[in-house]
Amino acid sequence: MSESAKVEISRGLENVYIKATSLTFIDGEKGILRYRGYDINELAKNAHYEEVIHLMLYGELPNREQLSRVKDTLNSSYEVPEDVLRVMEVLPKDSEPVALMEAGLAALATHEKGFKWKEGDREKALEIIGKVSTITANVYRVKEGLAPKIPKPSDSYAKSFLEATFNKSFSGTETSMMDNFLVLYADHEVPASTTAALVTASTLSDMYSCMVSAITALKGPLHGGAMEAAFAQFREIGDPSRVDEWFERNIVKGGNRLMGFGHRVYRTYDPRGKVFKSMAETVSKGEARKYLEIAERLEKLGVRYFEAKKIYPNTDFYAGIVMYGLGFPDYMFTPLFALSRTLGWLAHVVEYVDEQHRLIRPRALYVGPGERKFVPLDQRK
Ligand code: SDX
């Protein structure tokens, strides 16, 4: 039997399982998402990001002593070598925000000497989670032409990040919005960005390289760039009264993708999307309120139009409105996704290298010409 006859290619690795995991469970049919067995709705309502960090890296929700150890480690990890921020500052102001983040991480990686897996992986992951807060805060500050700032140690990672980014204090409600965002985006099994991190980890490259691989994959509009792309739709529509005409022209007649809708795994509502929708309803005022009304009308039209294909709003549809309401410009949405997902990326690579390491090296089915003799240049047509 020929090679091509017995091989089945799974395009986009759809339904291919590349690892076992005890981190995150998704039921795409029922719209269930759990971190280490805890439902995402419970965690979003009750847990701070620091508790989820301990849960994902160490397997259990932390007791008081473990929680304060996580906070102490994060607080002592915000510092970065001063050349890292200088590198970010000298890059063009109109740099792609995610490219700035990659540059900051790559600059950090130059200080990483002799990293060895299985020697304090989880502590290294905690340190990177701290430093990514500094890098992300300074993506905004560099883009806005502001002096770099290091997050100040505090009782909340979300608060330290917000205050370093905007150089002002935030209310408890705003800080918990940021905290909820970090919890909701923390992990999602093995999407493209996590798979990119796993491939890099499988060669036993270092953790910073896994981060850069993940972030470059996240950037695409079909993945982490969707929050910004969904928000760009709301801006383009501009007013709730124009949603129906826009939808007819762009989606029905134009056949374009409705950004923030659809998912490779969910065949129903993405549970995170529902939480962000209710968050958007509480925070949105002014312009954000108008975008919420546009999004709600768009959701109604989209769910009706795509029902047969089981395409529903995903996490990115409403999340941008919440972050916009917190004061973030839309160019910060993908960096914010990366900030939160640093935990998921590193938890997965640590789990993979610790428990089931194997070099990831798939095959490609050859469908080109059979063996041919070389033809010298003067004999070619
Ligand atoms: C994230 O994987 C994760 O877990 C990712 C994530 C995470 O937390 O890490 O959940 C975060 O990336 C969420 C997804 C964000 N992306 C978007 O919102 C971009 C818009 N969505 C689509 O491009 C799409 O839904 C994907 C890419 C998300 C998933 O697409 P698939 O599984 O590859 O499906 P497909 O492209 O093969 O589409 C199947 C059909 C096609 O129609 P037909 O050719 O069969 O007629 O569904 C259609 C597609 O055209 N379709 C859409 C659509 N999504 C799929 N049509 C219009 N609008 C859409 N959004």
Side-chain angles (χ1 to χ4, degrees), residues 221-223 225-237 242-264 269 291 294-307 309-318:
L222 294 188
H223 184 15
M227 211 189 312
E228 188 175 351
F231 198 79
Q233 293 168 157
F234 309 149
R235 275 192 190 287
E236 187 187 323
I237 293 167
R242 288 205 285 270
V243 174
D244 292 52
E245 184 279 327
W246 182 91
F247 188 83
E248 184 63 23
R249 182 162 40 83
N250 285 280
I251 308 300
V252 179
K253 293 213 171 64
N256 296 317
R257 296 216 163 192
L258 183 57
M259 302 311 271
F261 257 64
H263 201 278
R264 175 62 61 80
Y269 273 83
Y291 291 134
I294 290 171
E296 285 173 334
R297 180 67 193 153
L298 208 45
E299 175 190 347
K300 270 202 184 71
L301 297 175
V303 168
R304 198 167 53 212
Y305 182 70
F306 291 119
E307 198 182 1
K309 287 187 177 177
K310 296 189 175 194
I311 295 171
Y312 291 90
N314 58 50
T315 183
D316 295 319
F317 194 66
Y318 286 102

Side-chain angles (χ1 to χ4, degrees), residues 39-227:
D39 185 86
I40 195 66
N41 293 290
E42 293 260 294
L43 292 170
K45 226 184 346 265
N46 306 306
H48 293 292
Y49 187 53
E50 292 87 338
E51 294 176 277
V52 171
I53 289 174
H54 189 278
L55 174 66
M56 296 302 265
L57 290 178
Y58 298 97
E60 298 298 335
L61 287 169
N63 60 32
R64 282 188 194 289
E65 193 263 327
Q66 291 162 333
L67 181 57
S68 58
R69 214 173 37 235
V70 166
K71 291 183 177 178
D72 292 348
T73 310
L74 292 172
N75 279 329
S76 59
S77 304
Y78 292 137
E79 283 299 335
V80 296
E82 53 87 35
D83 54 32
V84 170
L85 297 179
R86 224 178 35 235
V87 160
M88 291 176 72
E89 275 192 289
V90 298
L91 293 170
K93 288 287 161 284
D94 62 352
S95 305
E96 280 254 299
V98 179
L100 264 181
M101 214 171 164
E102 289 161 28
L105 274 164
L108 263 177
T110 61
H111 293 269
E112 186 69 20
K113 303 276 185 301
F115 169 81
K116 279 205 176 29
W117 287 97
K118 298 192 178 186
E119 287 177 14
D121 297 351
R122 291 167 177 77
E123 289 62 39
K124 171 58 76 177
L126 271 175
E127 176 200 309
I128 295 176
I129 291 167
K131 295 195 185 317
V132 171
S133 173
T134 308
I135 300 286
T136 312
N138 287 291
V139 167
Y140 173 79
R141 298 189 65 79
V142 165
K143 289 286 291 176
E144 299 295 321
L146 301 168
K149 264 186 95 51
I150 305 280
K152 282 203 193 70
S154 83
D155 191 41
S156 151
Y157 181 87
K159 180 170 181 284
S160 295
F161 169 69
L162 280 173
E163 294 185 350
T165 303
F166 295 106
N167 193 23
K168 66 174 187 160
S169 54
F170 280 79
S171 70
T173 316
E174 291 165 323
T175 304
S176 68
M177 284 289 156
M178 185 70 231
D179 205 34
N180 280 353
F181 175 91
L182 293 168
V183 168
L184 286 158
Y185 268 92
D187 191 46
H188 208 243
E189 199 211 66
V190 284
S193 54
T194 312
T195 303
L198 286 167
V199 170
T200 304
S202 81
T203 70
L204 296 183
S205 180
D206 66 278
M207 250 185 227
Y208 275 107
S209 304
C210 296
M211 283 292 298
V212 176
S213 302
I215 285 194
T216 46
L218 183 75
K219 194 169 165 192
L222 294 188
H223 184 15
M227 211 189 312

